[in-house]
Amino acid sequence: MKNNRLTPYLFLAPFLLAFSLFFILPVLYSVYLSFLTRVRNGFAPPTEVFGGFANYARVFTDGDFLASFFNIFLFGAIQVPLMLIFATAFALIIDETQGWLSKVFRTAIYIPYTIPGVIAGLLWGFLYSRNLSPLNYLLSNNGGTPVNFLDSSLLLFSIGNIVTWTWTGYNSVTLYANLQNVSRELYEAAAIDGATGWNVVRYIKLPLLRPALMLTLIFSVIGTAQIFSEPFVLRGIGFVPVNITPNTYIYQIASQDANYSYAAALAVVLALVTFAFSAFFLRYVNRSQSV
Amino acid sequence: MKLKQGMMLLIAGGAVAGAIALAQAFNEPKYQAAPKGEITLEYWSWVPKMEEQAALFTKQYPNIKVKVVNVGAGQSGTYPKLQTAIKAGTGAPDVAQVEFGYIPFFASTGGLADLTKYLPSDAKNYFVPWTWSQVSQGKAVYGIPQDQGPFAMIYRKDIFDKYKIAVPTTWNEYEAAGKKLFEASGGKVKIGNFFSTFAPWFTALAWANGAQFWKLNTDGSYTQTLNSAAAKQVANYWGRLLEKKYVSTLGAFSADFWNAVSKGEVATSMEAAWGTGSFAGSLEKNPGVGAEYRVAPLPQWKKGGTASGNWGGSTAVVTTQSKNPEAAALFAYWLMSSKASVVQGWKGAGVFPAASAGLDLPELSDKTSNPSKFFDGQNVAAVYKEAGKGVNTRFQWSPWAPTVDASFQKQMDLAVNGKQSFADALDNWQAETLTKAKADGYNVK
């Protein structure tokens, strides 16, 4: 029996092809674009010339872009932990639930994730609208004043709410799958040692969930850095700053202002920052596991 | 007998002459010859019922089919898609709708075809002169004017009747009416709505007050003045009305806005001519209880004045990616200047023609079809025709329109939420836009 060395690559080929075509190439193209600057020639279309790090210099003095990072840090610091706490709690509950009830829970909690982001944004946009929102209807009928969910002091929370609603179930199911992998013998052993309800959770389930939690954490951090569709769709009902997230700002620069090379520089910086953050968390996971 | 015959002849002759006069009332251009062969054009437009209008063209030129695609209004749809396609070098339609204010922006991308070589040399004579200058840059022509957006005031007659308030003709009266409405309704009914997320709306109001935001200098540089005294007067005025809660800040075209209007919570709205079509289209199935909509001239800063501004007004541009630019240019030209098309545009969507002959069409005042029907038969076209005469037609635009719009929203949001004065909002709008335009390489002062 001959072992063909090409076999694994053949299996990988479809993925690698698509991955290079739709991921690696655009990334390289973006990096190339980010070094170009435009020279305007009166009414004629601008010419693009090599501009060195001019675009990058502009990135770090662009207050709007830095503000979008601040928004996303604030957002991530609150939303990500909150979502993961919910997800863990739900996973533990589903894990404890038996039979059809467990299936109902699992499905119910997963449904928001199956709704495309734009549709979810539109649904929430309706719930957030000032006059038509059922929430505001209830409020004003009970002596309250209608809430402007897009007010600058509330906007991040309104977006966070949509994101949490969408992703809690997804993370929950990931964590639940991990709990299912825990050997039942561990629980038996714990029971013999006299561990009950909360102690099993505290000393067995949670520590064993740690790697999965770290994984969901990293995905959430990356996801947070890339938030786009929720704030974008909410624009239809009111004012949402173009720099509410780095991605909406990059969209503005590229698709509205038509400044692709500067947008590319912004995107590269965003990718590097996200990469650095993920690397930091990954290292943290590895170190704590090796202890 | 002889006399009678003579009379008959005279009458008949008169009738014939009358018929000829009527037929000549609409001065239809002599169109260039259509290219041969089966051609399909793609046209991006957000004008409602555009398919019906474009179908009229195919009826006339059966070998040229037109596929109308609505990819969303202006900035929230067509513009980002169009300029992405231009940048990509593929995927752009043959013809696209672009507002006057965005012509310089798209022209500067190099994606628009110069139409002069495809059009008969007298094409410009068939359009209202200022609309033609809006699509021209030097000798180049980058689009065919579709419509104008002179500004007037749509109001709910039933609300003014109920509270026994006269329809305001000046901004002072408007404020006084706002106060009365506010007090009489316990704050429930607002006199109007401030569209804080639509720079072109504010621009039209400032335009009516004599503001001139951009100027193209002879050396090719631009001068931008968004914070002139005239513009600040307008901004401060609306800021004051907002502070006193006489006006709301519902999003333009949002479900919230239409809902408030139909419920009678917003008594007036400053609207361009095409706004009559939006009202008829968005509200006709939900006219509220006893709602009666009317159009009155824009309130004036000087009593007895006739000034107006302009919001939008669109064009049809031909892209350089079009494989059939002759057919595309003919389509755009025919669509905006032929009688059948102009009539359909007005009835279907309140498209107030840029074709000069279109303004005199009796169909524009047809009470039995929209938009007039929606306004209980009022001749709304006549109001807008008058408004059009009060528009400063030398208004110019800049090629960094997207930046202007984005910055306006940001600064106005701060002002609306009391974080800066409206005068400061304009100063910051000016400063921020200027900085960004310069950073993008524009020669602007």
Side-chain angles (χ1 to χ4, degrees):
Chain A
M1 181 124 168
K2 220 168 84 179
N3 214 343
N4 198 332
R5 280 155 100 209
L6 276 176
T7 313
Y9 296 101
L10 259 165
F11 277 107
L12 279 174
F15 165 77
L16 283 178
L17 190 75
F19 187 70
S20 344
L21 214 60
F22 299 112
F23 198 86
I24 307 279
L25 267 179
V27 167
L28 292 178
Y29 181 60
S30 294
V31 173
Y32 161 74
L33 272 184
S34 70
F35 287 104
L36 301 178
T37 51
R38 288 193 292 194
V39 177
R40 303 214 166 258
N41 322 297
F43 288 134
T47 37
E48 308 223 286
V49 296
F50 181 75
F53 286 91
N55 284 327
Y56 288 95
R58 190 176 161 190
V59 169
F60 292 102
T61 52
D62 188 334
D64 283 345
F65 187 59
L66 301 178
S68 75
F69 263 106
F70 176 76
N71 284 343
I72 225 62
F73 279 128
L74 185 73
F75 181 95
I78 298 172
Q79 190 268 335
V80 172
L82 214 60
M83 173 179 68
L84 293 182
I85 289 169
F86 279 133
T88 313
F90 282 128
L92 291 169
I93 291 169
I94 300 170
D95 192 46
E96 285 296 314
T97 323
Q98 305 295 326
W100 64 273
L101 203 58
S102 158
K103 282 181 190 155
V104 171
F105 272 167
R106 260 184 291 165
T107 315
I109 205 171
Y110 198 71
I111 281 177
Y113 176 70
T114 63
I115 296 171
V118 174
I119 309 284
L122 288 172
L123 289 173
W124 281 102
F126 170 68
L127 291 173
Y128 288 166
S129 72
R130 254 188 282 181
N131 288 350
L132 297 173
S133 166
L135 304 170
N136 275 336
Y137 177 81
L138 285 177
L139 259 177
S140 44
N141 275 13
N142 291 298
T145 44
V147 179
N148 178 9
F149 289 98
L150 294 194
D151 188 83
S152 50
S153 60
L154 270 184
L155 182 57
L156 277 177
F157 291 93
S158 300
I159 296 170
N161 180 42
I162 304 177
V163 175
T164 309
W165 175 82
T166 311
W167 291 92
T168 302
Y170 171 84
N171 288 317
S172 206
V173 168
T174 310
L175 297 171
Y176 166 73
N178 260 272
L179 281 176
Q180 290 289 293
N181 283 338
V182 175
S183 161
R184 296 285 132 180
E185 287 165 15
L186 268 176
Y187 298 145
E188 282 167 25
I192 290 168
D193 286 345
T196 49
W198 172 244
N199 282 336
V200 175
V201 171
R202 172 69 186 81
Y203 295 106
I204 299 177
K205 290 190 178 180
L206 284 182
L208 286 171
L209 265 186
R210 202 187 159 99
L213 261 173
M214 277 301 160
L215 187 77
T216 52
L217 173 67
I218 286 162
F219 284 163
S220 303
V221 167
I222 297 173
T224 302
Q226 295 181 342
I227 290 176
F228 176 77
S229 54
E230 292 85 358
F232 188 75
V233 173
L234 287 181
R235 244 175 236 182
I237 63 165
F239 172 70
V240 175
V242 294
N243 66 334
I244 187 76
T245 73
N247 262 351
T248 55
Y249 186 64
I250 293 170
Y251 170 84
Q252 169 73 22
I253 301 292
S255 293
Q256 300 277 2
D257 296 348
N259 196 344
Y260 291 92
S261 37
Y262 182 49
L266 291 167
V268 168
V269 171
L270 172 64
L272 289 176
V273 171
T274 313
F275 182 73
F277 258 81
S278 315
F280 167 79
F281 281 114
L282 270 173
R283 273 185 72 101
Y284 178 70
V285 178
N286 286 340
R287 195 180 307 153
S288 53
Q289 271 183 339
S290 60
V291 171
Chain B
M1 189 71 188
K2 253 199 165 152
L3 194 78
K4 216 176 169 187
Q5 259 185 355
M7 281 279 278
M8 291 275 280
L9 218 74
L10 245 158
I11 292 167
V16 169
I20 289 171
L22 258 177
Q24 279 176 345
F26 192 91
N27 187 8
E28 194 135 333
K30 261 203 161 70
Y31 294 104
Q32 63 270 42
K36 303 246 172 342
E38 287 299 311
I39 295 169
T40 301
L41 299 172
E42 186 170 328
Y43 177 30
W44 288 1
S45 169
W46 65 89
V47 171
K49 299 183 188 161
M50 181 47 86
E51 309 77 34
E52 293 169 34
Q53 205 177 334
L56 297 173
F57 176 77
T58 306
K59 219 166 126 191
Q60 191 81 20
Y61 299 93
N63 67 321
I64 308 176
K65 308 260 180 307
V66 183
K67 188 179 150 210
V68 178
V69 188
N70 182 349
V71 294
Q75 256 194 303
S76 49
T78 300
Y79 299 159
K81 289 187 180 76
L82 181 60
Q83 65 102 342
T84 307
I86 288 171
K87 169 72 183 170
T90 171
D94 298 276
V95 185
Q97 179 181 358
V98 170
E99 289 154 289
F100 293 133
Y102 272 75
I103 286 280
F105 172 75
F106 279 106
S108 81
T109 64
L112 304 189
D114 177 2
L115 299 178
T116 43
K117 56 178 172 290
Y118 306 118
L119 292 175
S121 54
D122 67 342
K124 68 180 284 187
N125 301 343
Y126 294 92
F127 293 90
V128 175
W130 80 275
T131 63
W132 196 263
S133 61
Q134 294 265 310
V135 296
S136 310
Q137 266 180 11
K139 280 185 181 147
V141 172
Y142 287 113
I144 307 288
Q146 168 185 290
D147 65 328
Q148 320 170 50
F151 239 34
M153 178 175 77
I154 294 182
Y155 68 97
R156 286 268 306 248
K157 181 175 178 291
D158 54 310
I159 295 180
F160 283 91
D161 286 350
K162 183 180 165 192
Y163 292 98
K164 299 190 175 57
I165 298 171
V167 176
T169 60
T170 66
W171 290 114
N172 275 337
E173 289 174 20
Y174 188 80
E175 185 173 356
K179 185 167 188 271
K180 266 191 198 166
L181 270 179
F182 181 85
E183 284 163 0
S185 70
K188 271 206 99 136
V189 180
K190 312 284 186 197
I191 182 80
N193 191 63
F194 182 74
F195 294 103
S196 60
T197 56
F198 267 87
W201 182 84
F202 175 78
T203 302
L205 288 174
W207 188 338
N209 197 26
Q212 184 101 21
F213 285 167
W214 298 278
K215 198 169 152 263
L216 178 58
N217 304 311
T218 42
D219 63 350
S221 68
Y222 282 90
T223 307
Q224 176 181 278
T225 324
L226 303 177
N227 53 349
S228 65
K232 277 187 181 170
Q233 186 180 20
V234 174
N236 287 334
Y237 175 83
W238 285 92
R240 189 168 69 241
L241 263 57
L242 252 175
E243 202 184 327
K244 293 183 174 166
K245 299 196 166 64
Y246 298 166
V247 295
S248 52
T249 52
L250 299 165
F253 314 122
S254 68
D256 260 350
F257 173 72
W258 294 121
N259 178 259
V261 170
S262 71
K263 278 202 299 196
E265 290 171 0
V266 178
T268 75
S269 184
M270 303 309 141
E271 297 284 341
W274 48 265
T276 60
S278 310
F279 266 67
S282 306
L283 294 168
E284 72 187 332
K285 288 181 202 92
N286 179 25
V289 187
E292 292 175 61
Y293 297 90
R294 293 289 186 278
V295 183
L298 193 72
Q300 297 292 316
W301 290 101
K302 283 193 207 99
K303 200 161 179 61
T306 55
S308 182
N310 187 83
W311 179 10
S314 288
T315 70
V317 301
V318 175
T319 66
T320 47
Q321 287 177 30
S322 173
K323 291 198 175 69
N324 298 295
E326 292 96 351
L330 173 66
F331 167 67
Y333 184 32
W334 189 91
L335 194 72
M336 303 319 175
S337 64
S338 80
K339 184 179 169 187
S341 173
V342 165
V343 168
Q344 167 63 30
W346 172 251
K347 291 188 173 175
V351 170
F352 192 65
S356 25
L359 293 173
D360 298 321
L361 273 175
E363 281 88 344
L364 257 60
S365 43
D366 179 2
K367 290 176 185 174
T368 58
S369 67
N370 274 336
S372 285
K373 189 178 151 201
F374 175 80
F375 293 90
D376 297 326
Q378 186 193 2
N379 187 354
V380 295
V383 182
Y384 278 104
K385 199 179 162 188
E386 276 309 301
K389 291 178 189 163
V391 176
N392 166 18
T393 53
R394 282 178 313 172
F395 197 89
Q396 291 178 322
W397 304 93
S398 73
W400 53 91
T403 311
V404 172
D405 289 355
S407 171
F408 177 82
Q409 297 189 19
K410 177 179 161 188
Q411 299 302 341
M412 279 300 152
D413 184 66
L414 292 171
V416 165
N417 288 311
K419 287 173 186 142
Q420 67 181 357
S421 74
F422 277 78
D424 287 350
L426 291 196
D427 287 339
N428 291 332
W429 184 29
Q430 160 80 1
E432 186 175 53
T433 316
L434 211 56
T435 311
K436 293 208 166 175
K438 279 179 186 161
D440 273 349
Y442 290 106
N443 184 2
V444 53
K445 286 175 264 189

